[in-house]
Amino acid sequence: GDLYGFRHDDVTKPPQEHFGDFPATSLAVADDAAEFVVRATSSGDKPVIYSKDSGKTWTYVSTLPEGIGNDAGGQVVMSCDGSTILWQPGTAGTSAYRTGDFGDTWEMCEGLPINAKLLADGVNPDPFYATYDGTFYISTDAGKTFSVLTTFLISSFDWVANNDVEGEVWLGISGGGVWKLDVAKKAVEKTAGNCTQADAIGLGKAADGQTQMAIYILGEANGEGWGVYQSIDGGATWKK
């Protein structure tokens, strides 16, 4: 899609305006409070900009951590209630930061390596997750401190938090299919289905009669070639 971003008021009609004349390097929304949205950019007045009205209007953060420039870009994530933003600037050699007041103040996230990839829990506003070089990290205090959760042999993957189950994260691996990170078990488990490639992964509404959210991937399953696949049973079976 277009990284400039759009607000869709009606999914049957194309929006007439996009989110400004500069690209976003990252975009996140609060899972339980969709009025809160945040994005990062490398070419705006400030590198982090947020909305409190589902993208109708946008406000730049008022301050930046010391030493971080206006072209920092990077990755942003937001707690499921919109109260906390974590930001990994794109500037080389910088750590991740958190703010609980929409950028009026910032503090460094302790315990994370530089350039860690971030994710917010989909149900509880306090847990955040991070990964770097095959190690998963967890924070239970809204991103203030992180500790090692578990390790994994693969370091490159797409991931998404389940916004229906706390502590459940799904991984899509280009050369390895679909896996589930179970935070309570501190374990990464491969799904049972015949999925061999998952370049991108997302979750959607549970199918009728099912309790688990549907999983969608761009990849390959059942030997049917690359495409868009759906699983409605936690990755046990796949349909193209």
Side-chain angles (χ1 to χ4, degrees), residues 217-237:
I217 63 163
L218 285 174
E220 182 173 359
N222 308 321
E224 297 180 24
W226 194 87
V228 179
Y229 288 81
Q230 178 199 55
S231 174
I232 63 173
D233 54 12
T237 60

Side-chain angles (χ1 to χ4, degrees), residues 50 57 108 110 126 141 158 166 177 194 198 224:
Y50 62 89
T57 61
M108 188 180 295
E110 297 182 9
D126 289 330
D141 55 9
D158 190 25
E166 180 180 346
N194 185 23
E224 297 180 24

Side-chain angles (χ1 to χ4, degrees), residues 6 8 12 17 25 35 37 42 49 63 83 86 114 134 140 142 147 153 205-206 209 211 217 226 233-234 236:
F6 294 87
H8 293 263
T12 67
E17 297 182 3
T25 58
E35 65 269 25
V37 191
S42 57
I49 182 172
T63 69
S83 63
L86 265 58
I114 292 171
T140 57
S147 59
L153 292 177
K205 180 182 177 182
T211 58
I217 63 163
W226 194 87
D233 54 12

Side-chain angles (χ1 to χ4, degrees), residues 31-209:
D31 279 342
D32 287 339
E35 65 269 25
F36 295 111
V37 191
V38 63
R39 58 193 171 113
T41 179
S42 57
S43 58
D45 292 341
K46 287 277 196 333
V48 179
I49 182 172
Y50 62 89
S51 173
K52 295 182 178 181
D53 55 14
S54 301
K56 291 181 181 178
T57 61
W58 294 87
T59 303
Y60 287 104
V61 295
S62 59
T63 69
L64 295 176
E66 184 177 356
I68 306 299
N70 289 339
D71 60 349
Q75 184 201 7
V76 285
V77 297
M78 179 175 271
S79 61
C80 63
D81 64 354
S83 63
T84 304
I85 297 169
L86 265 58
W87 176 37
Q88 172 58 66
T91 307
T94 58
S95 300
Y97 292 86
R98 70 174 299 277
T99 177
D101 52 19
F102 292 94
D104 289 342
T105 59
W106 295 90
E107 60 181 311
M108 188 180 295
C109 301
E110 297 182 9
L112 280 183
I114 292 171
N115 293 328
K117 187 177 179 181
L118 307 171
L119 186 70
D121 190 83
V123 176
N124 187 332
D126 289 330
F128 283 86
Y129 312 111
T131 180
Y132 182 80
D133 197 25
T135 298
F136 288 100
Y137 300 83
I138 185 172
S139 170
T140 57
D141 55 9
K144 294 178 182 179
T145 60
F146 282 81
S147 59
V148 172
L149 177 66
T150 189
T151 57
F152 192 45
L153 292 177
I154 299 171
S155 59
S156 179
F157 48 80
D158 190 25
W159 62 342
V160 60
N162 189 337
N163 62 4
D164 199 41
V165 179
E166 180 180 346
E168 185 175 290
V169 177
W170 292 87
L171 314 179
I173 301 172
S174 291
V178 175
W179 297 63
K180 182 176 73 171
L181 169 63
D182 188 317
V183 174
K185 293 180 180 179
K186 299 183 179 181
V188 186
E189 304 164 338
K190 194 176 191 309
T191 55
N194 185 23
C195 175
T196 55
Q197 179 179 355
D199 299 327
I201 189 168
L203 302 177
K205 180 182 177 182
D208 291 342

